[in-house]
Amino acid sequence: MMSTRDTMELKEEAIRAQYDTALNLLTGFDHAPRLAKSVEPAAPERSPGIGTRPRFRSTTPGLVTRPTTRPGGVRVVERVEALADGLLSPQQSAVLHALRRGVAIALAMGEAFAQQSALGELKKANLEGRLPDLRRAEFTELLAAEALVSLFSFANATAFLLAPHLGALTVEVGTVDEVLTDNAPLALQGALWELDQDIGLHVTEEPRLATTVAAFCEALMEKVALRAANAPRLDGFINNSWKVEADGLSLSGFKPARAAKGGQITMQFKKPHEVVGNHIAKYQSMKLAKMLMAYDFDRKLNPFAELGGFIFTFMGDGKPGTGKTTLIQMMAGLLNEYCKVAGYPFRYQNFSIDQIDSYQGKSGQNAKAFIDTIIDPGVIGFGTIDDIDQVAGKRGDRQSSAGQQEVTAVFMGAFAGAGTVVRGNCTFGMFSNYPENVDDALRQRAGARFLVDGPQTREDYIDILSLLLGKNHQIPLGDHELFAAQEIKKAVAASFEGHSRPHEDGLIKVWEKVAAEIGPLDTIAKIGRYLKAIQEADERFTGRAIKNITDAVKVRAMDFELPDEWMENPDLFLFKPYDDKLVMIRSLTTPITVDMVIQEINRYADSEFRYADKSDEVAITNMVRDFGRTEEAKRRYLEGKG
């Protein structure tokens, strides 16, 4: 981490002084590639009379250029403008502004590097024809260093500025080949030439523009950082930091800057001890918060996702007032705190009934936008759907609106669809007081179940009373150790142990029947017979249920919390390379046991039987009420006729 005394300001006037030069580079120059090959896509067929350029031409001086007919002409502005249909879109404008600003910052950074090193003096001597022969090698090395500094600064600044305009879309541009180090101007020309090529090749539609440019910048940073690892004369750049105040950008050597894409969160966060009861749900939420922090922004993958112990979706269900909102506030608070320490962007969003719209298709669009916001691989994301039984409609339910049905379809595709990619940077929590009213297939897409049952024991009720009363009283506590019952490890062990046998009546019957037939469930074959017996009792217990159970077992194999000091000091874990994180996590895993498997089967099956029993009972109650209304209506009708 860079200390504040090493940070200098890259002055705004120095950057703006480079705007004309930057715009000229983007407007047009000729470049003959030296290391890469030109790959232009075939021009699409056009109907007769349709021009190849948009009718709109900017009136800004410098933006109007003559088309070039010479091979190797690079016209980035024209390339971006050609994607427009008459007028530049907000994204096209944002990309052009980011590119101009990025090039200007790179040129200003190159000048700052030259002034700080001997390069400035050597450049002047070279122009005046008095460069000593003994210093020519040093001059060449410093020019190459300035080129690397300028290239990395351009890519770093541009990617940072484009970060707020990116969504979940990804584009693979491959490696960057045209990395020239003769001097800074030529290096930037080579980079812009290859960027121009990539835009032409990958931007088949306007929404891909910002993503393609950002992907190119990331690839360029990676290539330049590798070259810089063995290049001389770079100490002045590596050991210092520059701040671009207007953008909130820090240039710290060859390290990518992280754009704060998370935004401000307005929420009253809760501490873990303020969540009374709900031991398993609280424990898994705390673990999940730390799991998310293991995400590697460079690899765009989480070691937990690779090892199979990551919770992408979960469902929290319980009676009203048992603490679902408090659980959300606790987990969001932990993530917000961890991300602040690490400098990671954190994004939280809740999808509520307010986003169900009467216009056809709008509810689905809202749900898709919510999903895309959270799964953005450039942030740590936490998405919640509170009261999902009201938000997402049950298929076949005539009382569900078209908007609710749209939302169900979007969530099902996002949580376990053909295109679902679990990177491990985000998680979705579905919460409900009435999970039996949630569509069966959508509910089964919740990989983990958090039973939010609130305070249970005498100690829990004393703790919650003391917590909610606050400190504005003189009432003695009495014979009680405050919050001792909330000691998480002890409480969780007892809670898991409680699932060694089923809880729901329907599942208890299945358990006892299987145990009487085959004895203790101590082999995979016997456990498999138990699973089949559950399926025979409830046909909704399908292969997806088995996957959810095995995922939960893998989470139990990761039955450890990442040490708090790893969150407090990012250098210990968070900032380590991906492969190092993988090794550190793997060393903490524990073997899977029969007890773990049985407990997770019972936990999951109990929840399904609980939902089924409630669902059937609700349906029967509603039918009885309807029959009663019908009979009363008949009676009143006959009385009226009489």
Side-chain angles (χ1 to χ4, degrees), residues 355-373:
Q355 284 147 298
I356 304 299
D357 202 285
S358 58
Y359 289 98
Q360 185 175 0
K362 182 62 175 175
S363 301
Q365 290 176 5
N366 291 343
K368 185 67 169 63
F370 163 71
I371 296 292
D372 289 345
T373 297

Side-chain angles (χ1 to χ4, degrees), residues 85-399:
D85 184 15
L87 290 172
L88 288 180
S89 71
Q91 183 175 134
Q92 288 170 302
S93 180
V95 167
L96 288 175
H97 279 282
L99 286 170
R100 183 183 71 166
R101 180 82 174 167
V103 172
I105 288 173
L107 292 168
M109 188 68 248
E111 283 196 356
F113 173 79
Q115 291 169 6
Q116 196 179 55
S117 66
L119 182 58
E121 175 196 337
L122 293 176
K123 279 184 176 181
K124 185 178 179 180
N126 185 57
L127 284 173
E128 295 173 355
R130 55 181 181 81
L131 180 67
D133 290 340
L134 292 176
R135 302 195 69 180
R136 289 192 181 279
E138 178 189 358
F139 183 46
T140 301
E141 289 178 350
L142 282 168
L143 285 174
E146 183 192 26
L148 292 172
V149 167
S150 299
L151 283 174
F152 195 88
S153 299
F154 160 66
N156 202 0
T158 305
F160 182 91
L161 294 169
L162 286 178
H165 304 281
L166 303 179
L169 183 69
T170 58
V171 174
E172 297 292 336
V173 298
T175 59
V176 178
D177 297 319
E178 193 72 359
V179 177
L180 308 177
T181 56
D182 301 55
N183 55 65
L186 182 63
L188 289 170
Q189 286 186 2
L192 290 173
W193 173 86
E194 191 156 357
L195 172 61
D196 182 60
Q197 294 276 302
D198 281 340
I199 294 173
L201 191 63
H202 297 288
V203 184
T204 53
E205 52 185 353
E206 188 260 347
R208 294 171 62 89
L209 176 61
T211 305
T212 299
V213 176
F216 171 83
C217 289
E218 289 185 8
L220 179 58
M221 280 191 283
E222 184 177 351
K223 187 67 170 280
V224 172
L226 286 173
R227 294 280 292 273
N230 299 312
R233 313 281 181 181
L234 285 167
D235 290 348
F237 182 64
I238 294 172
N239 296 330
N240 290 292
S241 176
W242 282 264
K243 180 81 172 177
V244 181
E245 199 65 47
D247 303 314
L249 167 66
S250 290
L251 300 172
S252 302
F254 294 95
K255 295 178 182 177
R258 299 283 179 214
K261 302 195 296 178
Q264 293 296 317
I265 301 174
T266 305
M267 180 186 288
Q268 186 178 358
F269 297 131
K270 300 291 186 182
K271 298 292 185 183
H273 76 271
E274 296 178 287
V275 180
V276 177
N278 299 324
H279 301 302
I280 291 180
K282 178 165 69 171
Y283 180 58
Q284 290 188 313
S285 297
M286 291 168 66
K287 281 175 58 181
L288 182 53
K290 289 183 177 179
M291 279 184 181
L292 283 164
M293 295 304 297
Y295 177 69
D296 189 278
F297 282 90
D298 295 325
R299 189 76 65 92
K300 288 187 169 48
L301 185 63
N302 193 316
F304 282 103
E306 182 175 334
L307 293 171
F310 182 78
I311 300 172
F312 180 54
T313 53
F314 64 92
M315 174 165 280
D317 73 277
K319 297 176 183 177
T322 50
K324 291 182 291 298
T325 302
T326 307
L327 204 66
I328 293 171
Q329 292 170 323
M330 182 202 77
M331 187 168 167
L334 288 173
L335 284 167
N336 186 62
E337 185 178 330
Y338 296 157
C339 286
K340 277 185 177 178
V341 172
Y344 292 168
F346 170 52
R347 188 177 292 164
Y348 168 78
Q349 197 170 107
N350 180 61
F351 191 88
S352 66
I353 193 70
D354 296 341
Q355 284 147 298
I356 304 299
D357 202 285
S358 58
Y359 289 98
Q360 185 175 0
K362 182 62 175 175
S363 301
Q365 290 176 5
N366 291 343
K368 185 67 169 63
F370 163 71
I371 296 292
D372 289 345
T373 297
I374 299 302
I375 66 173
D376 179 356
V379 303
I380 301 295
F382 179 31
T384 56
I385 307 119
D386 211 358
D387 295 322
I388 191 170
D389 53 286
Q390 296 181 33
V391 171
K394 205 170 186 177
R395 290 172 300 174
D397 183 358
R398 287 172 294 180
Q399 294 182 338

